[in-house]
Amino acid sequence: MRILAAFLACLTAAPVLAQDADWRPSHCISLVENVPGMRVIPASLADPLAEYTVQIGYIAHSMFVIRDTEEHTIVTDYAGYLGDAGFFPEVATMNKGHTSHWTAQPDPRIPHVLPGWTADGSPADHYLQLGNLLVRSVSTDIRGYGGAEANGNSIFVFETEGLCIGHMGHLHHEPTDAQYAALGRLDVVMVPVDGGMTLDLPTMIGVVKRLRSSVVLPMHWFSGRSLEIFLAGVADEFAVDRREESFMQVSLNTLPPRPTVVVLQPRLIRYDD
């Protein structure tokens, strides 16, 4: 707890990334229609990307690495260890559900470390523009040791290559109507499916069906049991695509005509990625 307190104190001195304007551009909120078709391709982290394509890799737990054609790289729920010490992302987002979702000692080479909470309990309000990449956050509550903790988690949204990609973090309750509206359209969404430490599976299944994202990436599963329950619960509305690979590529023009759960296999980043 002392480490967390010290880290929070450092955050209060960090520059605020959110803009002061009442309205901030987001094509994920203003656009609501999906484009059919999808192609999922295993690929190396270092391979060139086709135009308007995003690469997503499942690292471990709730950590994904996202890369776009401008070579912006993001790691979600960054816990400090990615595998190869030679790789560091441009952006690292974190949530404080457990130490497996954040670190008090992020790699100093990471230019932008975005915690999903604040020291004073106010909503985290990130709005970071890097070239064609926009990273923004939508705060939700979290369960704490003394009960519910307001604004303890953030759902991060990454807008790039025309895609809207959401990461639910350590979600503990269904988003409110206002939070759903703030998220906007999510073409790809990463959702925790452990069924206990985060949101219970029936409610999470309801969230996924309401979002109706074109691609759903399950995460935060500790055994095949909770994953299988989740897959069975969405099978009436979603196709299921089980992959042997940890990486996929997707573009706006190749999203599936039917919403699809893509099961990626977690793998730490290796030197040859």
Side-chain angles (χ1 to χ4, degrees), residues 95-113:
N95 275 300
K96 65 170 181 175
H98 299 281
T99 53
S100 51
H101 298 260
W102 70 281
T103 176
Q105 298 177 313
D107 191 319
R109 297 174 297 176
I110 302 173
H112 306 283
V113 178

Side-chain angles (χ1 to χ4, degrees), residues 29-202:
I29 294 176
S30 58
L31 298 179
V32 295
E33 294 185 359
N34 292 330
V35 178
M38 183 183 81
R39 185 173 50 149
V40 178
I41 308 170
S44 165
L45 185 60
D47 286 349
L49 293 175
E51 190 175 21
Y52 304 120
T53 298
V54 173
Q55 180 169 297
I56 302 172
Y58 189 17
I59 301 173
H61 205 57
S62 294
M63 284 194 293
F64 289 82
V65 58
I66 302 169
R67 179 169 67 101
D68 65 16
T69 61
E70 288 189 350
E71 298 301 322
H72 299 298
T73 52
I74 306 150
V75 169
T76 64
D77 275 20
Y78 170 68
Y81 182 70
L82 303 175
D84 175 31
F87 171 76
F88 62 94
E90 184 177 12
V91 179
T93 65
M94 298 191 297
N95 275 300
K96 65 170 181 175
H98 299 281
T99 53
S100 51
H101 298 260
W102 70 281
T103 176
Q105 298 177 313
D107 191 319
R109 297 174 297 176
I110 302 173
H112 306 283
V113 178
L114 311 184
W117 69 98
T118 62
D120 62 4
S122 61
D125 187 24
H126 297 293
Y127 187 92
L128 175 64
Q129 186 84 53
L130 299 169
N132 68 3
L133 169 67
L134 171 63
V135 182
R136 58 187 179 86
S137 62
V138 177
S139 286
T140 68
D141 298 340
I142 197 170
R143 290 191 301 268
Y145 293 109
E149 179 182 342
N151 305 313
N153 179 72
S154 281
I155 300 171
F156 282 94
V157 179
F158 313 99
E159 305 187 15
T160 184
E161 310 294 355
L163 287 166
C164 307
I165 302 169
H167 185 282
M168 293 303 225
H170 212 265
L171 188 65
H172 286 171
H173 66 86
E174 179 173 6
T176 64
D177 288 343
Q179 288 164 340
Y180 276 120
L183 291 174
R185 185 190 93 243
L186 295 180
D187 303 302
V188 180
V189 65
M190 296 90 155
V191 296
V193 298
D194 59 278
M197 299 184 73
T198 60
L199 196 56
D200 65 273
L201 282 174

